Amino acid sequence: MIGRLNHLAIAVPDLEAAADQYRNALGAKVGEQQEEPDHGVTVVFIELPNTKIELLYPLGVNSPITSFLEKNPAGGMHHVCYEVDDIIQARDHLVETGARVLGNGEPKIGAHGKPVLFLHPKDFNGCLVELEQV
Ligand code: CO
């Protein structure tokens, strides 16, 4: 059911510094900062030949990244994002298998303007999973 790895997301304590590091030390193609108020994050996408890296920084008072950075002050791996063809079909299948969908269970529009859902990390070996319909 899942397709390509769309991106890996890393929560970072300093977005400018992290973007500079990917640009200068790692020599990667780094995009512009984008604010995602619906998700409580500011993001920068790094384009690699085979996937993307999403740098995440808190936006607003209820950002889910704030508590993550309190537990992981140096930053850390936050989620993996897999592509699916049909997010509703994927969700219904996952719910049947016992997986929990975060939030109200309905897709939201993600950073690429496409519908996304998040699956409970405790149901996926401690890893928060994002699904994106492509
Ligand atoms: Co993501």
Side-chain angles (χ1 to χ4, degrees):
M1 180 177 70
I2 58 171
R4 288 174 1 117
L5 174 68
N6 185 275
H7 59 269
L8 282 180
I10 303 171
V12 301
D14 183 334
L15 193 54
E16 288 284 324
D20 282 350
Q21 183 183 46
Y22 271 84
R23 190 182 294 110
N24 301 324
L26 292 169
K29 191 175 164 198
V30 175
E32 295 296 315
Q33 283 190 23
Q34 289 172 242
E35 294 194 349
E36 303 287 336
D38 284 356
H39 296 276
V41 291
T42 301
V43 303
V44 169
F45 275 97
I46 317 292
E47 274 186 53
L48 305 184
N50 62 341
T51 191
K52 295 186 278 284
I53 304 297
E54 178 180 43
L55 303 178
L56 293 172
Y57 186 78
L59 175 68
V61 283
N62 293 318
S63 173
I65 304 304
T66 305
S67 58
F68 185 90
L69 285 173
E70 277 163 13
K71 286 178 221 141
N72 305 277
M77 258 285 304
H78 187 264
H79 65 266
V80 295
C81 177
Y82 301 122
E83 297 181 353
V84 294
D85 291 330
D86 183 330
I87 202 163
I88 299 299
Q89 200 178 14
R91 176 198 65 189
D92 292 349
H93 171 72
L94 282 156
V95 168
E96 269 171 38
T97 69
R100 287 167 288 177
V101 177
L102 298 188
N104 66 3
E106 296 304 320
K108 280 191 187 176
I109 297 302
H112 307 113
K114 310 252 176 74
V116 301
L117 279 178
F118 287 90
L119 303 169
H120 202 296
K122 290 201 172 130
D123 298 337
F124 290 91
N125 308 290
C127 185
L128 177 62
V129 173
E130 178 179 17
L131 298 180
E132 179 173 310
Q133 180 171 296
V134 292

